[in-house]
Coordinates of all heavy atoms in Angstrom, one line a residue:
M618 N 80.4 85.3 109.2 CA 81.7 85.7 108.9 C 81.7 86.7 107.8 O 81.1 86.6 106.7 CB 82.6 84.5 108.4 CG 84.1 84.7 108.5 SD 85.1 83.5 107.9 CE 85.0 82.1 109.1
V619 N 82.4 87.9 108.0 CA 82.6 88.9 106.9 C 83.5 88.3 105.8 O 84.4 87.5 106.2 CB 82.9 90.2 107.5 CG1 82.0 90.7 108.4 CG2 84.4 90.2 108.0
A620 N 83.4 88.9 104.6 CA 84.1 88.2 103.5 C 85.3 89.2 103.0 O 86.0 88.8 102.2 CB 83.2 87.9 102.3
E621 N 85.3 90.4 103.7 CA 86.3 91.4 103.1 C 87.1 91.9 104.3 O 86.6 92.1 105.4 CB 85.6 92.5 102.5 CG 85.7 92.3 100.9 CD 85.2 93.4 100.2 OE1 85.8 94.5 100.3 OE2 84.2 93.4 99.5
L622 N 88.4 92.1 104.1 CA 89.2 92.7 105.1 C 89.1 94.2 105.0 O 89.0 94.7 104.0 CB 90.7 92.3 104.9 CG 91.1 91.0 105.2 CD1 92.7 90.9 104.9 CD2 91.0 90.7 106.7
D623 N 89.1 94.8 106.2 CA 89.2 96.2 106.3 C 90.6 96.5 106.9 O 91.0 95.9 107.8 CB 88.2 96.7 107.4 CG 87.1 97.4 106.8 OD1 87.3 98.1 105.8 OD2 86.0 97.5 107.4
F624 N 91.2 97.4 106.2 CA 92.6 97.8 106.7 C 92.5 99.1 107.5 O 92.0 100.1 107.1 CB 93.6 98.0 105.6 CG 93.9 96.7 104.9 CD1 93.0 96.2 103.8 CD2 95.0 95.9 105.2 CE1 93.4 95.0 103.1 CE2 95.3 94.7 104.6 CZ 94.5 94.2 103.6
L625 N 93.2 99.1 108.6 CA 93.3 100.2 109.5 C 94.7 100.7 109.4 O 95.7 100.0 109.4 CB 93.1 99.9 111.0 CG 91.7 100.0 111.6 CD1 91.9 100.0 113.1 CD2 91.1 101.3 111.3
S626 N 94.9 101.9 109.2 CA 96.3 102.5 109.1 C 96.9 103.0 110.4 O 98.0 103.3 110.5 CB 96.3 103.5 108.0 OG 95.4 104.6 108.2
E627 N 96.0 103.2 111.3 CA 96.3 103.6 112.6 C 95.6 102.7 113.7 O 94.6 102.2 113.4 CB 95.7 105.0 113.0 CG 96.8 106.2 113.0 CD 96.0 107.4 113.3 OE1 95.2 107.9 112.5 OE2 96.1 107.9 114.4
W628 N 96.4 102.4 114.7 CA 95.8 101.5 115.8 C 94.8 102.2 116.5 O 95.1 103.0 117.5 CB 97.0 101.0 116.6 CG 96.5 100.2 117.7 CD1 96.5 100.5 119.2 CD2 95.9 98.9 117.6 NE1 96.0 99.4 119.8 CE2 95.6 98.4 119.0 CE3 95.6 98.1 116.6 CZ2 95.0 97.2 119.2 CZ3 94.9 96.9 116.8 CH2 94.7 96.5 118.1
I629 N 93.6 101.9 116.2 CA 92.4 102.4 116.9 C 91.6 101.2 117.5 O 90.8 100.6 116.6 CB 91.5 103.4 116.1 CG1 92.5 104.5 115.4 CG2 90.4 104.0 116.9 CD1 91.8 105.2 114.3
P630 N 91.8 100.8 118.6 CA 91.1 99.6 119.1 C 89.6 99.5 118.9 O 89.0 98.5 118.5 CB 91.5 99.5 120.6 CG 92.8 100.2 120.7 CD 92.7 101.3 119.7
E631 N 89.0 100.7 119.1 CA 87.5 100.8 118.9 C 87.1 100.5 117.5 O 86.0 100.1 117.3 CB 87.0 102.2 119.4 CG 87.2 102.5 120.8 CD 88.6 103.0 121.0 OE1 89.2 103.8 120.1 OE2 89.3 102.6 121.9
Q632 N 88.0 100.6 116.6 CA 87.6 100.4 115.2 C 88.0 99.0 114.7 O 87.8 98.6 113.6 CB 88.3 101.4 114.2 CG 87.7 102.8 114.5 CD 88.2 103.7 113.5 OE1 88.7 103.5 112.4 NE2 87.8 105.1 113.7
M633 N 88.5 98.1 115.6 CA 88.8 96.7 115.2 C 87.5 95.9 115.3 O 87.3 95.0 116.0 CB 89.8 96.1 116.1 CG 91.2 96.8 116.1 SD 92.0 96.6 114.5 CE 92.4 94.9 114.5
Q634 N 86.7 96.2 114.2 CA 85.5 95.3 114.0 C 85.9 94.0 113.4 O 87.0 94.0 112.8 CB 84.5 96.1 113.0 CG 84.0 97.6 113.5 CD 83.3 97.4 114.8 OE1 82.6 96.5 115.0 NE2 83.4 98.5 115.7
P635 N 85.1 93.1 113.4 CA 85.4 91.8 112.8 C 85.8 91.9 111.3 O 85.3 92.7 110.6 CB 84.0 91.0 112.8 CG 83.4 91.6 114.0 CD 83.7 93.0 114.1
G636 N 86.9 91.3 111.0 CA 87.6 91.4 109.7 C 88.5 92.6 109.5 O 88.9 92.8 108.4
T637 N 88.8 93.3 110.5 CA 89.7 94.5 110.4 C 91.1 94.0 110.7 O 91.4 93.2 111.6 CB 89.3 95.6 111.4 OG1 87.9 96.0 111.2 CG2 90.1 96.8 111.2
L638 N 92.0 94.5 109.9 CA 93.5 94.2 109.9 C 94.4 95.4 110.2 O 94.1 96.4 109.4 CB 93.8 93.3 108.6 CG 95.2 92.7 108.7 CD1 95.1 91.3 108.1 CD2 96.2 93.5 107.9
F639 N 95.2 95.3 111.1 CA 96.2 96.4 111.3 C 97.7 95.8 111.2 O 98.0 94.9 112.0 CB 96.0 97.0 112.7 CG 97.0 98.0 113.1 CD1 96.9 99.3 112.5 CD2 98.0 97.6 114.0 CE1 97.9 100.2 112.9 CE2 99.0 98.6 114.3 CZ 99.0 99.9 113.7
V640 N 98.4 96.3 110.2 CA 99.7 95.9 110.0 C 100.6 96.5 111.2 O 100.6 97.6 111.4 CB 100.3 96.3 108.7 CG1 101.7 96.0 108.5 CG2 99.5 95.6 107.6
L641 N 101.3 95.6 111.9 CA 102.2 96.0 113.0 C 103.2 97.0 112.4 O 103.8 96.9 111.4 CB 102.9 94.8 113.6 CG 101.9 93.7 114.2 CD1 102.7 92.5 114.4 CD2 101.4 94.3 115.6
E642 N 103.5 97.9 113.4 CA 104.7 98.9 113.1 C 106.0 98.2 112.9 O 106.8 98.5 112.1 CB 104.7 100.0 114.1 CG 103.6 101.1 113.8 CD 103.5 102.0 114.9 OE1 104.4 102.3 115.7 OE2 102.3 102.5 115.0
N643 N 106.1 97.1 113.7 CA 107.3 96.3 113.6 C 107.1 95.0 113.0 O 107.7 94.0 113.4 CB 107.9 96.1 115.1 CG 106.9 95.5 116.0 OD1 105.8 95.3 115.6 ND2 107.4 95.1 117.2
A644 N 106.3 95.0 111.9 CA 106.0 93.8 111.2 C 107.2 93.1 110.8 O 108.2 93.8 110.2 CB 105.1 94.1 110.0
G645 N 107.4 91.8 111.0 CA 108.6 91.1 110.5 C 109.6 91.1 111.5 O 110.7 90.4 111.3
E646 N 109.5 91.8 112.6 CA 110.6 91.9 113.6 C 110.3 91.0 114.9 O 111.3 90.8 115.6 CB 110.8 93.4 114.0 CG 111.4 94.2 112.9 CD 111.5 95.7 113.3 OE1 111.4 96.0 114.5 OE2 111.6 96.5 112.4
I647 N 109.3 90.6 115.0 CA 108.9 89.8 116.2 C 108.3 88.2 115.7 O 107.8 88.3 114.7 CB 108.0 90.5 117.2 CG1 106.7 90.9 116.5 CG2 108.7 91.5 117.9 CD1 105.6 91.4 117.4
G648 N 108.6 87.4 116.7 CA 108.1 86.1 116.4 C 109.2 85.2 115.8 O 110.4 85.6 116.0
E649 N 108.9 84.2 115.0 CA 109.8 83.4 114.4 C 110.4 84.0 113.3 O 109.8 84.8 112.4 CB 109.2 82.1 114.0 CG 108.8 81.2 115.2 CD 108.0 79.9 114.7 OE1 108.5 79.3 113.7 OE2 107.0 79.7 115.2
K650 N 111.7 83.8 112.9 CA 112.5 84.3 111.8 C 111.8 83.8 110.5 O 111.7 84.6 109.6 CB 113.9 83.9 111.9 CG 114.8 85.0 112.1 CD 116.3 84.8 111.7 CE 117.2 85.8 112.4 NZ 118.0 85.2 113.4
E651 N 111.4 82.6 110.6 CA 110.9 81.9 109.4 C 109.5 82.5 109.0 O 109.2 82.6 107.7 CB 110.6 80.4 109.6 CG 111.9 79.6 109.8 CD 112.5 79.3 108.5 OE1 112.1 78.5 107.9 OE2 113.6 79.9 108.1
D652 N 108.8 82.9 110.0 CA 107.4 83.3 109.6 C 107.0 84.3 110.8 O 106.2 84.0 111.7 CB 106.5 82.1 109.7 CG 105.1 82.4 109.2 OD1 104.9 83.6 108.6 OD2 104.2 81.7 109.5
P653 N 107.6 85.5 110.8 CA 107.4 86.4 111.9 C 105.9 87.1 111.8 O 105.1 87.0 110.9 CB 108.3 87.6 111.6 CG 108.6 87.5 110.0 CD 108.4 86.0 109.7
Y654 N 105.6 87.6 112.9 CA 104.2 88.2 113.1 C 104.2 89.5 112.2 O 105.1 90.3 112.0 CB 103.9 88.6 114.6 CG 103.8 87.4 115.4 CD1 104.6 87.2 116.6 CD2 102.7 86.5 115.1 CE1 104.4 86.1 117.3 CE2 102.6 85.4 115.9 CZ 103.4 85.1 117.1 OH 103.1 84.1 117.8
W655 N 103.0 89.7 111.6 CA 102.9 90.8 110.6 C 101.8 91.7 111.0 O 101.8 92.9 110.7 CB 102.6 90.1 109.3 CG 103.1 91.0 108.2 CD1 102.4 91.9 107.4 CD2 104.6 91.1 107.9 NE1 103.3 92.5 106.5 CE2 104.6 92.1 106.7 CE3 105.7 90.5 108.2 CZ2 105.7 92.4 106.0 CZ3 106.9 90.9 107.6 CH2 106.9 91.9 106.4
A656 N 100.7 91.2 111.5 CA 99.5 92.2 111.7 C 98.7 91.6 112.8 O 98.9 90.5 113.3 CB 98.8 92.3 110.4
V657 N 97.7 92.5 113.2 CA 96.7 92.1 114.2 C 95.4 92.0 113.4 O 95.1 92.9 112.6 CB 96.6 93.2 115.3 CG1 95.5 92.6 116.3 CG2 97.9 93.3 116.1
L658 N 94.7 91.0 113.5 CA 93.5 90.7 112.8 C 92.3 90.4 113.8 O 92.5 89.7 114.8 CB 93.6 89.5 111.8 CG 92.3 89.2 111.1 CD1 91.8 90.2 110.2 CD2 92.5 87.9 110.4
S659 N 91.2 91.2 113.6 CA 90.0 90.9 114.4 C 89.3 89.8 113.6 O 88.9 89.9 112.4 CB 89.2 92.2 114.4 OG 88.0 91.9 115.0
C660 N 89.1 88.6 114.3 CA 88.3 87.4 113.7 C 87.1 87.8 113.0 O 86.3 88.5 113.5 CB 88.1 86.4 114.8 SG 87.1 85.1 114.1
P661 N 87.0 87.6 111.7 CA 85.9 87.9 110.8 C 84.6 87.3 111.3 O 83.5 87.8 111.0 CB 86.2 87.4 109.5 CG 87.3 86.3 109.7 CD 88.0 86.7 110.9
S662 N 84.7 86.3 112.2 CA 83.4 85.8 112.8 C 83.1 86.3 114.1 O 81.9 86.6 114.4 CB 83.7 84.2 112.7 OG 82.4 83.5 113.2
C663 N 84.1 86.3 115.0 CA 83.7 86.7 116.4 C 84.4 88.0 116.9 O 84.0 88.5 118.0 CB 84.0 85.6 117.4 SG 85.8 85.4 117.6
G664 N 85.3 88.5 116.1 CA 85.9 89.8 116.6 C 87.1 89.7 117.6 O 87.7 90.7 118.0
T665 N 87.4 88.4 117.9 CA 88.6 88.3 118.8 C 89.9 88.7 118.1 O 90.1 88.3 117.0 CB 88.7 86.7 119.2 OG1 87.6 86.4 120.0 CG2 89.9 86.5 120.2
L666 N 90.7 89.4 118.8 CA 92.0 89.9 118.2 C 93.0 88.8 118.2 O 93.2 88.1 119.2 CB 92.5 91.2 118.9 CG 91.6 92.4 118.9 CD1 92.3 93.5 119.6 CD2 91.2 92.8 117.3
G667 N 93.7 88.7 117.2 CA 94.8 87.6 117.2 C 95.9 88.3 116.2 O 95.8 89.0 115.3
L668 N 97.2 87.7 116.4 CA 98.3 88.0 115.6 C 98.2 87.1 114.3 O 98.0 85.9 114.4 CB 99.6 87.8 116.3 CG 99.9 88.9 117.4 CD1 101.0 88.4 118.3 CD2 100.3 90.3 116.7
V669 N 98.6 87.7 113.2 CA 98.7 86.9 112.1 C 100.1 87.0 111.6 O 100.8 88.0 111.8 CB 97.8 87.2 110.9 CG1 96.4 86.8 111.2 CG2 97.9 88.6 110.4
T670 N 100.7 86.0 110.9 CA 102.1 85.9 110.5 C 102.2 86.2 109.0 O 101.2 86.4 108.3 CB 102.7 84.5 110.7 OG1 102.1 83.7 109.9 CG2 102.6 84.1 112.1
R671 N 103.4 86.3 108.6 CA 103.7 86.7 107.3 C 103.1 85.7 106.2 O 102.5 86.1 105.3 CB 105.2 86.9 107.0 CG 105.5 87.5 105.6 CD 106.9 87.9 105.5 NE 107.9 86.7 105.7 CZ 109.2 86.9 106.0 NH1 109.7 88.1 106.1 NH2 109.9 85.9 106.2
K672 N 103.3 84.4 106.6 CA 102.7 83.4 105.8 C 101.2 83.4 105.7 O 100.6 83.1 104.7 CB 103.2 82.0 106.2 CG 104.7 81.8 105.8 CD 105.3 80.4 106.1 CE 106.7 80.2 105.8 NZ 107.2 79.1 106.3
Q673 N 100.6 83.8 106.9 CA 99.1 83.8 106.9 C 98.6 85.0 106.1 O 97.7 84.9 105.4 CB 98.6 83.9 108.4 CG 98.8 82.7 109.1 CD 98.5 82.8 110.5 OE1 98.8 83.8 111.2 NE2 97.9 81.8 111.1
M674 N 99.4 86.2 106.2 CA 99.1 87.3 105.3 C 99.2 86.9 103.8 O 98.4 87.5 103.0 CB 100.0 88.4 105.6 CG 99.8 89.2 106.8 SD 98.3 90.2 106.7 CE 98.8 91.4 105.5
A675 N 100.1 86.0 103.5 CA 100.3 85.7 102.0 C 99.3 84.6 101.6 O 99.3 84.3 100.5 CB 101.7 85.2 101.9
G676 N 98.5 84.2 102.5 CA 97.6 83.1 102.2 C 98.1 81.7 102.0 O 97.5 80.8 101.5
L677 N 99.3 81.5 102.6 CA 100.0 80.2 102.6 C 99.6 79.4 103.6 O 99.6 78.1 103.6 CB 101.5 80.4 102.6 CG 102.1 81.2 101.5 CD1 103.6 81.4 101.7 CD2 101.9 80.5 100.2
V678 N 99.2 80.0 104.8 CA 98.8 79.3 106.1 C 97.4 79.7 106.5 O 97.3 80.9 106.5 CB 99.9 79.4 107.1 CG1 99.5 78.8 108.4 CG2 101.3 78.9 106.7
A679 N 96.6 78.8 106.9 CA 95.2 79.3 107.3 C 95.3 79.9 108.7 O 96.2 79.6 109.5 CB 94.3 78.0 107.5
V680 N 94.4 80.9 108.9 CA 94.4 81.5 110.1 C 93.2 80.8 111.0 O 92.1 80.5 110.5 CB 93.9 83.0 110.0 CG1 93.8 83.8 111.4 CG2 94.9 83.8 109.1
I681 N 93.6 80.5 112.2 CA 92.6 79.9 113.0 C 92.4 80.8 114.2 O 93.3 81.2 114.9 CB 93.1 78.5 113.5 CG1 93.5 77.6 112.2 CG2 92.2 77.8 114.5 CD1 94.2 76.3 112.6
C682 N 91.1 81.0 114.5 CA 90.8 81.9 115.6 C 91.2 81.4 116.9 O 91.1 80.2 117.2 CB 89.2 82.1 115.6 SG 88.7 83.2 116.9
G683 N 91.7 82.3 117.8 CA 92.1 81.8 119.1 C 91.2 81.6 120.1 O 91.4 81.2 121.1
S684 N 89.9 82.2 119.9 CA 88.9 82.1 120.9 C 88.4 80.7 121.0 O 88.2 79.8 120.1 CB 87.7 83.0 120.4 OG 86.6 82.7 121.2
E685 N 88.1 80.3 122.3 CA 87.6 79.0 122.6 C 86.3 78.8 122.1 O 85.7 77.6 121.9 CB 87.6 78.7 124.2 CG 89.0 78.5 124.7 CD 88.9 78.3 126.2 OE1 87.8 78.0 126.7 OE2 90.0 78.5 126.8
N686 N 85.5 79.9 121.9 CA 84.0 79.7 121.5 C 83.8 80.0 120.0 O 82.7 80.2 119.6 CB 83.3 80.8 122.3 CG 83.5 80.6 123.7 OD1 83.4 79.6 124.3 ND2 83.6 81.8 124.4
C687 N 84.9 79.8 119.3 CA 84.8 80.2 117.7 C 85.7 79.3 117.1 O 86.8 79.0 117.6 CB 85.2 81.7 117.6 SG 85.4 82.1 115.9
S688 N 85.2 78.6 116.0 CA 86.1 77.7 115.3 C 86.5 78.2 113.9 O 86.7 77.4 113.0 CB 85.4 76.3 115.3 OG 84.1 76.5 114.7
A689 N 86.5 79.6 113.8 CA 86.7 80.1 112.4 C 88.1 79.8 111.9 O 89.1 79.8 112.6 CB 86.6 81.6 112.4
Q690 N 88.1 79.2 110.6 CA 89.4 79.0 110.0 C 89.2 79.5 108.6 O 88.3 79.2 107.9 CB 89.6 77.4 109.9 CG 89.8 76.9 111.3 CD 90.3 75.3 111.1 OE1 90.9 75.0 110.1 NE2 90.1 74.6 112.1
F691 N 90.2 80.4 108.2 CA 90.2 80.9 106.9 C 91.5 81.3 106.4 O 92.4 81.3 107.1 CB 89.3 82.2 107.1 CG 89.7 83.1 108.2 CD1 90.6 84.1 107.9 CD2 89.3 82.9 109.5 CE1 91.1 84.9 109.0 CE2 89.7 83.7 110.5 CZ 90.6 84.7 110.3
F692 N 91.5 81.7 105.2 CA 92.7 82.1 104.4 C 92.4 83.6 104.0 O 91.4 84.0 103.8 CB 92.9 81.3 103.2 CG 93.4 80.0 103.4 CD1 92.5 78.9 103.4 CD2 94.8 79.7 103.6 CE1 92.9 77.5 103.6 CE2 95.2 78.4 103.8 CZ 94.3 77.3 103.8
I693 N 93.6 84.3 104.1 CA 93.7 85.7 103.7 C 94.1 85.8 102.2 O 95.1 85.2 102.0 CB 94.5 86.6 104.6 CG1 94.0 86.6 106.0 CG2 94.7 88.0 104.0 CD1 95.0 87.2 107.0
R694 N 93.2 86.3 101.4 CA 93.7 86.4 100.0 C 93.5 87.9 99.6 O 92.5 88.3 99.3 CB 92.8 85.5 99.1 CG 93.1 85.3 97.7 CD 94.4 84.3 97.5 NE 94.5 83.2 98.4 CZ 94.0 81.9 98.2 NH1 93.2 81.8 97.2 NH2 94.3 81.1 99.0
E695 N 94.6 88.5 99.5 CA 94.7 90.0 99.3 C 93.7 90.7 100.3 O 93.9 90.8 101.5 CB 94.3 90.3 97.9 CG 95.3 89.5 97.0 CD 95.5 90.1 95.6 OE1 94.6 91.0 95.1 OE2 96.5 89.8 95.0
N696 N 92.6 91.2 99.8 CA 91.7 91.9 100.9 C 90.4 91.0 101.0 O 89.4 91.5 101.6 CB 91.3 93.3 100.5 CG 90.7 93.4 99.1 OD1 90.6 92.3 98.4 ND2 90.3 94.5 98.7
E697 N 90.5 89.7 100.7 CA 89.3 88.9 100.9 C 89.6 87.9 102.0 O 90.7 87.5 102.3 CB 89.1 88.2 99.6 CG 88.3 88.9 98.7 CD 87.9 88.1 97.4 OE1 88.8 87.9 96.6 OE2 86.8 87.7 97.4
I698 N 88.5 87.3 102.6 CA 88.6 86.3 103.6 C 88.0 85.1 103.0 O 86.7 85.1 102.7 CB 87.9 86.8 104.9 CG1 88.7 88.0 105.5 CG2 87.8 85.5 106.0 CD1 87.9 88.7 106.6
L699 N 88.7 84.0 102.9 CA 88.1 82.8 102.3 C 88.0 81.7 103.4 O 89.1 81.4 103.8 CB 89.1 82.4 101.3 CG 89.3 83.3 100.1 CD1 90.4 82.7 99.1 CD2 88.1 83.8 99.3
P700 N 86.8 81.3 103.6 CA 86.6 80.3 104.7 C 87.5 79.0 104.2 O 87.4 78.7 103.0 CB 85.2 80.0 104.8 CG 84.5 81.2 104.1 CD 85.6 81.8 103.1
R701 N 88.1 78.3 105.2 CA 88.8 77.2 104.9 C 87.9 76.1 104.6 O 86.9 75.8 105.4 CB 89.7 76.8 106.0 CG 90.6 75.7 105.8 CD 91.4 75.3 107.0 NE 92.5 74.5 106.7 CZ 93.4 74.1 107.7 NH1 93.3 74.5 108.9 NH2 94.5 73.4 107.4
K702 N 88.1 75.4 103.5 CA 87.2 74.2 103.2 C 87.4 73.0 104.1 O 88.5 72.8 104.5 CB 87.2 73.8 101.7 CG 87.0 75.0 100.8 CD 86.5 74.5 99.4 CE 86.0 75.7 98.6 NZ 87.1 76.6 98.1
P703 N 86.2 72.4 104.6 CA 86.5 71.2 105.4 C 87.4 70.2 104.7 O 87.2 70.0 103.5 CB 85.1 70.7 105.6 CG 84.2 71.8 105.3 CD 84.9 72.6 104.2
V704 N 88.3 69.6 105.5 CA 89.1 68.6 104.8 C 88.4 67.3 104.4 O 87.6 66.9 105.3 CB 90.3 68.3 105.8 CG1 91.3 67.3 105.2 CG2 91.1 69.6 106.2
Ligands
LIG1464 ZN1 86.7 83.9 116.0

C-alpha cells in the first residue's frame, strides 16, 4: 500500500495510479446530505477506483476498498494514507 496521496487536478483516468485522489467537480452535491461524495480515490493497495465521502476525506470514517480481492482499510489524513489498525 502506498503511504501518500497524489492529487489530480484534472480527471485523467490513465493517471489514476494507486493512491491518487481526484476531487469531484460537484463535490458535496451527490450522495447523502449528511455525508456527500467528495472525491474519487484509486485504492492505495490495488488501484480499484472508488468514491470517498466528505467524512472519509476528513479522516473521520475509514475507507474500505470496494474490490472483492482486496481488503484494504485505511484513513485519509491530509495527504497521507494511514492503514486502519486491526480492531
Ligand atoms: Zn483495493
